[in-house]
Each structure stands twice: as C-alpha cells, then as structure tokens.
Amino acid sequence: MKNSINPEVMMRSLNSKLKTLLKHSLVLDNNEIEENLKKLLRKTLISEYLFENYVIAISGLQGVGKSTLLKQLYDIPEECLPIDFGRGEKLPILITEYNIDNIETRVKRFKKNEKDYYELKDEIIDTNEFKSIAQNPCNNDILLDLRIPLNKNIFNIENNKSFLLLPGIESKKNEWQELLEYSLDFSATCIFVFDHTKSALERNKKIIDKINNDFEKAKAKPIYVITFSDAVDDQNKELKSTFLEDFNIPKEEENRVICSGLKNEIGDEWISSLMSSIHKYSSVQREFRKSQFEALNKLLRYDLTDILTDIEKNGMYQDIFNEIKKMGISDFLKCFDEEEQRIRKIYSSLTSKSLENYISKPISEVEHLIINENKFQKFITLITGRSLKKQKEFKKNISDIWENTNTISPQDAQCLVLNELTSQRLQLHNQLPLAFEKHSRKQLLGNFSTNEEAPSQIINKDIINDYKTLFTLQNDNSELSLNHKKAIELMPVLATDFIRINTIYPELFANTETIPNEQMEEIIQDFSTQKKHYHTILAGIGGIIGVDGAVDGKIDTIPNLLKALGVTGAAASVAMWVGAGVATGFITISVIKQIYKIDYKDAYFAHSLLNAIKDKHYQVYMDNYDTLMAYIRELLKKRLTERYLINEADARNERIVKSLSDVKHIKDEMRELIYEYL
C-alpha cells in the first residue's frame, strides 16, 4: 500500500457532483436514469457518512432482536422502535446521541424545490412515517435518522458516534440487500445479532457462515451478540461455548461474543461487556481498508459507469450535446474547462507532494512516542481516556504535533504550492523554493520588486479590455481582441492566485471592516511594494469574480481593489472558507471523529492518524479550488449568455453536459487514487 492520498476524502466531492448531475438530468425527462442516480446516491451518501464518522453496523437475520438490543441500550420507547420493527424493514437507520431534550425521528431524502430541482433535505417526521419509510421507502428516501438525547453517553466520548441498524439478512438478492452488504463494507466495525435458536437452522447458518467468512478474509473482528439469553449464568456460558465452537472463534477472543437480554430479566452487565468489546475491536485493520476500497472501486467501475453510459446514449442527451457544440459560447467554455482541468491536475499533484513532505516530521515525532513506552502509554491514555478533559488534551497534542513540528505552518506550506503554480503560469511571481523555510507574508506574496526583474506582460492591455468586454456589459458593441482565447485561458490561474492571496491574508477576505487600521495599512503596504503593474493582476482577479468596476477603471488603486475584493458578495460567498477551512483545529476535530477506527498497537497508528489529517487537508484544499472554479465558470457562462443572447433553455441544457463531464473526471481521479492507495 503506497503512502498516497486516501480515496475516501473524495467522497464528498463525488457526492456534490452526483447531486448536481441528478439536478440537471431532469432535462432528459428519463425516469429510469433519474431513479438509478438516486439509488447510486443512496450508496455514495451513506459511504461518505460512514467514512467520515465512527459508525457501528448492527446486522442479523430478521426478527432476532436487533431493534430490541438498541432499545435496551438507550431505553428507546416502543413508539420509536416498535416490537415488530425488525421484520420487513428495508432502509438503514442511524442512531446517534445529540445534545437534545427529546428523541427525534428524521429522514434524509431528496425533494424538489420551487425550481423543480432535487435537493437533499434533512427533515423531522413523526414516528408513524418513520416506521412506514423503514418498511416501504421510495427512491427519494436515503437514510433514516434516530437522534437520542445525550444522557446515556453509551460511547463515553465527546464526538458523536453512531449505530447503523441494518435490515434483516435474507437469502434472496434485491437492491435493499445490496445496500445492506454495501453498508457493512464501509462501517468501522459491526455487531451481528443472533437468536441462538434461529442461528442453528441450517438455512440461516449458511448465510451467517458466508458473511463471517467475508469478514475474516478482510481480517475484520466483528462482535456477536446472542439475544434472548437465559437468566441462569451457567446456561449462558454453555451457549457461548457452543457458539465459539460453531463459528471458529478463538478462545482468546471470546469477549467478541456477548450474551444479552432484557435488563429486567438478566440485568445490564452485558451492556458494559458489549461496549468494552466495541472499543477493543473497533480499529479498522489494513486488510479491511483494502476491502473497503475494492468495494468502492467496484461501485465506480460498474454502477456509476453504467449510469454515465446510459446518459451518453440517451437520444435527448445526444441532441443536447450536438446543439451545445453549435452555441456561440461553447468554444469559450471549452477553453475555460480544458485549462481549468490542466491547472487542477498540476495543483493536485503539487499539493499531494507537499503534504507528503510535510507529514514526515510529525510522523517521526509520534513514532518517537511509541518507542518511548512510558510516553506512549500516556499518549494512548489521552486517546482512550474517559474524561472529556483528556480527549480535549489529546486533540491539542495532535494539533501541536501537526502544526509545530515543521518550521512553517500547513497554511504557509500551501502558500508555497500556490506560488509555485501561479509563478510558472503567470510568469510574474518571484518563484520561492518549495522547501519548508519561513517567509514573511510579503515574501509569500511573491511579487516584490528587484532591480534585475523585467516586468511580465502576460496580463496586458488586451487581456484587461477582454475582461471589460466580457464582464461589464456596459458596451455590448465592443469587440474581443484577436487573442481573446488567452484571456479565457488565464481565468483559472487568476482564480488560483485569488486563493493564494486569500491563504496569505485570510483576514482580508473575512470582513475588511473589522481589520484594525494599523493592520490594514500593513497589508496595503505589502501590496504597494509589489511590481508596479500588479494592479492589473488584481483588476483581472476582480473582474473574473464579479467585482464591479475592477476592470473598467473605476477602481484603479491597489488599496481600493483590495477592499473591493474583500467586501464583494462574491468574495463573501466563495472566499470565507480559506481562513477557517484549513485551520488546524478544524482539521483535527474532523479527523478525531475517526480515532477509534485506527489500530494504535504499533507504528501504523502514527501513520494512520497523521495521514488522516493530511488527507483532510488535501480534501479541503481541492474542495475550495473546485468551489471557486465552479462559481467563476457559472459567472462566465451567465455573462456570455447575456452578451450573446443565449436563451435559458440552451443555458440549462449546457449544465447537463458539464455536470456529466465533472462526474467522469472525479470518477477517473478516484479510481486512480484507489489504484495508488492499494
């Protein structure tokens, strides 16, 4: 297994693009394509949640007591999980503790908005509808969500952890059984629930053996709960011994088998035993991770590819595709898309390599703790500590190791990546070495003047005039220059430079009104010492993100351009994530949710934990890039549509072509990452 970016960090981006494809696929008026997309999204959305959170699947045959087990754990009232709930349900149910006063029954589902587009909604529903959806879901229903007040604190940890109640296992294959198996593949660990009288039946034993063998091949350690146990302890020991023998569970792992029952009949000691076993066997082994990514690759290679092929072969799609090629704006958008993909590929590669270099010292630091047994035991105590104070201390320790082991912060390291990319393409910045050396913010800005420099002319008068023609709409009769293609090609790299500036000066794009005057003057001074024609770069950036007056001369000084970039609505909507989104605390907290998935018994722990933080940084960086590029492309298309009088129907049709292309790109990228990771 190579030390590369974890493919699971791309799930959120994949789902975002799949939801966009579903939204725009309605123009095809094809119910089969629409329904197949929703079925696929049910799997990928559940995968995203299971990848990003600590979730324990609860599975077993129908009617063996899965719902009863959860009711006993959480004292869930009968109306929320009725006695017959475990018979005939089809949709998974997520059970999570929240800081709420009363139990909530909810559903995640697709609903059409006022524009007749699908949106994913999270809605509170009554218990009758909750049960009805569980047993008779439609394709709009994705996942049921049962939220429990945070008073039991079963997991005894700060971050929300969940159980996933799966439908009963059946011998016949259908889409719901496929969803069950898929959910099992991606859970942190699983609990198989048995009624010993039913598990002894030959037909049921074959099903259990198959699932058990699948997990054993992946080196997983499922936990087995025998329900409706006897109040007599000796009889339970005999039952447990028989089960260990029947399913070839080694004696040293006998705590993977729990005898449970109604608390008013056999007490509640079994609950402590169950939670202890969950903590002990909850880490996801490397072999199990491999099997998870193989399952994901299968979904991408077959299920998703089949849907994309069906769309491309659809007669209406082919008509739309041919008409789009004839549109006056298609060449503009194609030029933008090709350059944006080229820039993205370079950005992805540079970011990945930088993070790989950045992580080496933090890994060495944590491995040093492992070598020092006393320090390591204290470190592990922080991870598994029962008190919230210890868990918060652990988060701080991990944050400190990640943030301070290198000579520069992760944000400054990413500034060097952005400098490398934009200096190559814009031929303007002073190219700084990618080595992790400390630089001032003015140096990171990278455009400071020296006597030897010849000013770059890549952003020339024609480029600025083309942006003025494209984005101001104040002179519709003006013509684009003969080299207008260059203006379009430069848009993605100018947008990347916007990210670069935003990463260096995040406070500038949060709210310029709250920046102290002295600090604002310092920022302005940093920009004022740059090459004299840098205001053309800022003007170009302002134009492509929709700052009125940026390219028509009305905002003609660096201080005013900076303030305009910082307070524009565009900056507020697409730039505010840079300062908060890459903050170490944010990254660490999101990764700590998965801490119990990691095997911390050897040096693999250090790699797993810190690689998860590294991968989360990669995800945030690439998501930010994609968000900004999507915004700029949509703005470009809007202005082109207005300028060339393209009707709304044609503009809407273009979106299905673009969204299909986006899904194909991310599918290929994820499969490439999976091959590298395996």
Side-chain angles (χ1 to χ4, degrees):
M1 186 181 295
K2 297 181 180 178
N3 188 24
S4 61
I5 297 299
N6 192 324
E8 71 185 42
V9 304
M10 304 295 292
M11 286 303 301
R12 183 180 300 177
S13 183
L14 173 67
N15 282 327
S16 174
K17 295 183 189 309
L18 281 173
K19 286 185 284 188
T20 301
L21 180 60
L22 172 64
K23 172 182 175 181
H24 298 308
S25 69
L26 299 184
V27 301
L28 303 179
D29 195 25
N30 187 297
N31 187 66
E32 183 179 358
I33 288 175
E34 181 183 328
E35 295 304 301
N36 285 339
L37 272 171
K38 285 188 284 187
K39 289 178 183 178
L40 179 74
L41 268 162
R42 182 184 289 121
K43 288 184 178 179
T44 57
L45 286 166
I46 289 176
S47 298
E48 178 187 336
Y49 190 87
L50 297 183
F51 269 140
E52 293 189 349
N53 296 275
Y54 179 78
V55 180
I56 302 166
I58 297 183
S59 184
L61 303 169
Q62 288 198 18
V64 296
K66 299 187 298 296
S67 301
T68 301
L69 175 71
L70 285 166
K71 287 166 68 176
Q72 293 294 301
L73 278 173
Y74 286 114
D75 295 324
I76 299 172
E78 176 69 18
E79 62 267 20
C80 295
L81 285 177
I83 194 70
D84 62 342
F85 201 84
R87 297 174 176 85
E89 77 279 4
K90 297 176 181 177
L91 202 63
I93 302 170
L94 197 67
I95 297 96
T96 311
E97 290 186 67
Y98 282 88
N99 188 20
I100 54 178
D101 294 327
N102 301 298
I103 290 178
E104 293 180 359
T105 46
R106 310 172 73 102
V107 63
K108 296 181 186 351
R109 60 185 171 194
F110 285 110
K111 293 188 77 172
K112 287 187 176 180
N113 60 19
E114 64 279 1
K115 295 182 179 180
D116 209 31
Y117 286 143
Y118 280 113
E119 292 181 344
L120 187 62
K121 298 287 188 181
D122 185 350
E123 299 179 329
I124 296 178
I125 56 177
D126 62 38
T127 53
N128 289 328
E129 186 178 4
F130 190 80
K131 179 180 178 181
S132 176
I133 292 174
Q135 298 180 336
N136 296 288
C138 69
N139 271 347
N140 288 342
D141 300 318
I142 302 300
L143 183 67
L144 287 168
D145 187 4
L146 183 63
R147 300 189 177 186
I148 309 294
L150 190 63
N151 50 20
K152 301 289 289 184
N153 200 10
I154 288 292
F155 290 99
N156 204 14
I157 45 183
E158 180 183 4
N159 301 109
N160 288 335
K161 304 294 183 281
S162 305
F163 288 108
L164 186 69
L165 178 60
L166 296 174
I169 300 170
E170 300 175 5
S171 56
K172 62 181 181 181
K173 290 289 184 182
N174 54 46
E175 67 173 285
W176 306 110
Q177 288 296 299
E178 288 180 7
L179 182 63
L180 180 157
E181 293 178 9
Y182 189 81
S183 300
L184 276 175
D185 283 339
F186 289 93
S187 300
T189 190
C190 61
I191 297 173
F192 286 113
V193 181
F194 302 111
D195 172 347
H196 71 281
T197 59
K198 293 186 179 181
S199 64
L201 296 175
E202 187 62 28
R203 180 178 65 84
N204 293 341
K205 193 172 187 301
K206 287 181 179 179
I207 298 173
I208 297 167
D209 281 340
K210 180 184 181 304
I211 294 175
N212 190 46
N213 288 336
D214 288 344
F215 272 82
E216 289 298 326
K217 287 177 184 177
K219 306 295 184 184
K221 301 288 185 182
I223 297 164
Y224 305 94
V225 174
I226 304 172
T227 55
F228 310 117
S229 301
D230 201 289
V232 181
D233 189 50
D234 288 343
Q235 292 178 345
N236 284 339
K237 288 181 179 178
E238 182 179 350
L239 177 63
K240 184 173 180 177
S241 178
T242 302
F243 192 92
L244 291 170
E245 183 178 345
D246 286 348
F247 292 99
N248 299 315
I249 298 172
K251 180 69 175 176
E252 61 269 20
E253 294 181 2
E254 64 178 350
N255 54 1
R256 286 170 55 197
V257 180
I258 309 293
C259 293
S260 73
L262 300 179
K263 288 187 288 188
N264 60 356
E265 294 180 2
I266 70 168
D268 59 3
E269 286 187 16
W270 62 269
I271 294 178
S272 298
S273 298
L274 174 61
M275 298 314 299
S276 176
S277 295
I278 286 173
H279 287 305
K280 182 175 182 179
Y281 297 106
S282 60
S283 61
V284 178
Q285 306 294 320
R286 280 165 276 190
E287 292 84 352
F288 194 22
R289 287 303 255 180
K290 181 178 178 180
S291 72
Q292 289 179 331
F293 290 128
E294 286 172 345
L296 177 58
N297 187 49
K298 183 179 178 181
L299 183 79
L300 297 173
R301 182 180 180 183
Y302 296 109
D303 298 43
L304 178 53
T305 299
D306 286 347
I307 292 174
L308 299 181
T309 301
D310 287 344
I311 293 175
E312 289 181 311
K313 289 182 177 179
N314 179 269
M316 184 173 290
Y317 177 84
Q318 292 179 352
D319 290 342
I320 289 173
F321 185 80
N322 291 330
E323 285 299 315
I324 292 300
K325 289 197 294 185
K326 299 176 186 178
M327 286 171 53
I329 66 174
S330 62
D331 288 342
F332 289 93
L333 296 176
K334 181 181 179 182
C335 181
F336 178 91
D337 292 341
E338 288 177 349
E339 183 65 11
E340 185 272 319
Q341 283 298 317
R342 193 184 77 82
I343 294 293
R344 190 185 192 281
K345 189 171 184 179
I346 298 171
Y347 184 48
S348 172
S349 176
L350 289 173
T351 297
S352 179
K353 289 176 183 177
S354 175
L355 287 168
E356 290 293 346
N357 291 332
Y358 192 88
I359 197 177
S360 58
K361 285 189 176 180
I363 282 181
S364 297
E365 179 70 16
V366 179
E367 286 180 342
H368 178 70
L369 292 174
I370 294 173
I371 295 171
N372 186 318
E373 186 174 350
N374 290 332
K375 288 184 178 180
F376 181 58
Q377 288 305 317
K378 292 179 180 178
F379 193 63
I380 294 305
T381 300
L382 290 176
I383 301 171
T384 58
R386 295 297 182 181
S387 72
L388 299 185
K389 180 181 178 181
K390 285 189 177 296
Q391 291 164 34
K392 289 177 180 177
E393 186 179 346
F394 167 68
K395 291 178 188 177
K396 184 179 184 304
N397 285 354
I398 291 296
S399 296
D400 289 343
I401 289 172
W402 173 260
E403 184 84 10
N404 300 320
T405 307
N406 284 289
T407 55
I408 64 174
S409 70
Q411 293 89 331
D412 284 353
Q414 193 62 12
C415 287
L416 294 175
V417 167
L418 290 159
N419 173 277
E420 175 79 7
L421 175 59
T422 54
S423 63
Q424 289 179 12
R425 190 67 182 90
L426 285 175
Q427 300 169 21
L428 177 69
H429 309 318
N430 299 62
Q431 193 165 345
L432 299 171
L434 282 173
F436 296 148
E437 299 174 1
K438 190 68 177 176
H439 298 283
S440 68
R441 296 212 293 183
K442 184 172 73 171
Q443 288 174 318
L444 287 172
L445 193 56
N447 302 290
F448 48 90
S449 299
T450 68
N451 295 331
E452 294 80 17
E453 290 177 300
S456 169
Q457 295 299 319
I458 194 166
I459 308 294
N460 55 35
K461 184 177 180 180
D462 285 344
I463 297 291
I464 294 298
N465 284 337
D466 285 338
Y467 289 151
K468 179 179 177 181
T469 301
L470 285 169
F471 292 106
T472 63
L473 294 178
Q474 294 178 0
N475 184 4
D476 292 339
N477 295 322
S478 58
E479 295 291 334
L480 294 171
S481 72
L482 294 177
N483 200 25
H484 65 270
K485 181 179 178 182
K486 178 61 68 175
I488 302 297
E489 287 179 345
L490 284 170
M491 290 178 65
V493 77
L494 284 172
T496 306
D497 205 46
F498 178 61
I499 297 175
R500 187 181 68 90
I501 297 169
N502 205 334
T503 307
I504 300 169
Y505 299 97
E507 71 274 25
L508 180 64
F509 299 90
N511 186 349
T512 55
E513 300 300 323
T514 63
I515 302 176
N517 290 335
E518 183 178 338
Q519 186 178 352
M520 189 65 193
E521 287 300 320
E522 182 180 336
I523 294 172
I524 291 172
Q525 182 63 28
D526 284 351
F527 278 84
S528 297
T529 57
Q530 306 305 299
K531 297 178 181 180
K532 292 182 179 179
H533 64 282
Y534 189 62
H535 71 276
T536 60
I537 295 286
L538 295 178
I541 292 172
I544 66 173
I545 68 169
V547 177
D548 292 336
V551 293
D552 61 5
K554 292 183 178 179
I555 303 177
D556 57 359
T557 66
I558 283 181
N560 288 337
L561 276 169
L562 287 175
K563 291 178 180 179
L565 288 174
V567 302
T568 179
S573 61
V574 300
M576 63 181 180
W577 29 254
V578 172
V582 299
T584 300
F586 169 84
I587 299 293
T588 303
I589 289 171
S590 64
V591 170
I592 296 304
K593 288 183 179 181
Q594 305 178 61
I595 187 64
Y596 283 92
K597 288 185 177 184
I598 299 172
D599 183 7
Y600 49 80
K601 296 175 183 176
D602 56 23
Y604 176 63
F605 163 75
H607 292 261
S608 297
L609 177 58
L610 288 163
N611 268 299
I613 298 174
K614 175 205 70 176
D615 291 342
K616 194 70 176 179
H617 275 78
Y618 177 86
Q619 177 193 17
V620 171
Y621 293 145
M622 298 312 298
D623 283 352
N624 292 347
Y625 175 92
D626 290 340
T627 299
L628 182 58
M629 293 302 171
Y631 170 85
I632 290 173
R633 187 188 190 277
E634 192 62 25
L635 179 61
L636 173 64
K637 189 175 77 170
K638 180 176 181 293
R639 297 294 169 88
L640 289 170
T641 298
E642 293 169 347
R643 180 173 182 79
Y644 293 100
L645 303 178
I646 304 297
N647 63 57
E648 177 56 30
D650 286 338
R652 187 169 59 247
N653 288 342
E654 191 275 335
R655 294 188 184 104
I656 177 66
V657 177
K658 178 64 169 67
S659 57
L660 180 68
S661 174
D662 286 346
V663 172
K664 290 171 71 175
H665 277 300
I666 195 167
K667 181 199 75 169
D668 293 341
E669 184 178 354
M670 288 183 70
R671 292 197 65 204
E672 185 176 331
L673 284 176
I674 289 172
Y675 285 131
E676 290 178 0
Y677 196 84
L678 296 178

